[in-house]
Amino acid sequence: MNDPLHPTSNGEAHQAADVQIPEATRRKHYLSGEFFITPQALEAHDIDEVLRWFNLPHEPVTVGDVRDIGHGLKAYFGYDDSKPMRKALFVRIY
């Protein structure tokens, strides 16, 4: 799998080819912020099953962390300071 693309100096937070997970889907899992998933991960996995990990108990995460979220996937927890605070925190699943 591809390594996560970390924010760059110009504020680019994720690859343009990533798919943004719709707000309705995030809301269904009580998630906020922006979530992105690679097309390959989206094709290979049920998005609801993938997002369930975020409601399980686990140690806290900080910006820059990469976590194994099961199903052979990882999540990168990032921050894009070029966006307003409510959209600055994001998760990239790959």
Side-chain angles (χ1 to χ4, degrees):
M1 284 191 198
N2 296 332
D3 287 331
L5 181 64
H6 300 282
T8 61
S9 59
N10 66 4
E12 185 177 337
H14 55 85
Q15 293 176 338
D18 287 352
V19 176
Q20 186 168 10
I21 297 173
E23 182 180 352
T25 304
R26 293 188 324 263
R27 224 178 311 132
K28 184 167 71 171
H29 293 276
Y30 306 102
L31 301 172
S32 62
E34 294 192 317
F35 279 70
F36 301 90
I37 188 167
T38 62
Q40 298 86 351
L42 186 58
E43 285 179 26
H45 302 283
D46 176 67
I47 191 66
D48 290 315
E49 188 64 32
V50 170
L51 293 179
R52 284 189 184 101
W53 180 88
F54 294 92
N55 289 305
L56 297 174
H58 50 76
E59 292 189 25
V61 297
T62 58
V63 170
D65 284 352
V66 175
R67 294 288 174 94
D68 180 351
I69 62 171
H71 311 284
L73 299 174
K74 294 185 181 207
Y76 169 72
F77 295 82
Y79 179 80
D80 183 347
D81 63 2
S82 71
K83 293 188 176 185
M85 185 50 119
R86 66 182 178 82
K87 291 186 172 189
L89 296 170
F90 69 92
V91 175
R92 181 175 183 263
I93 300 168
Y94 62 102

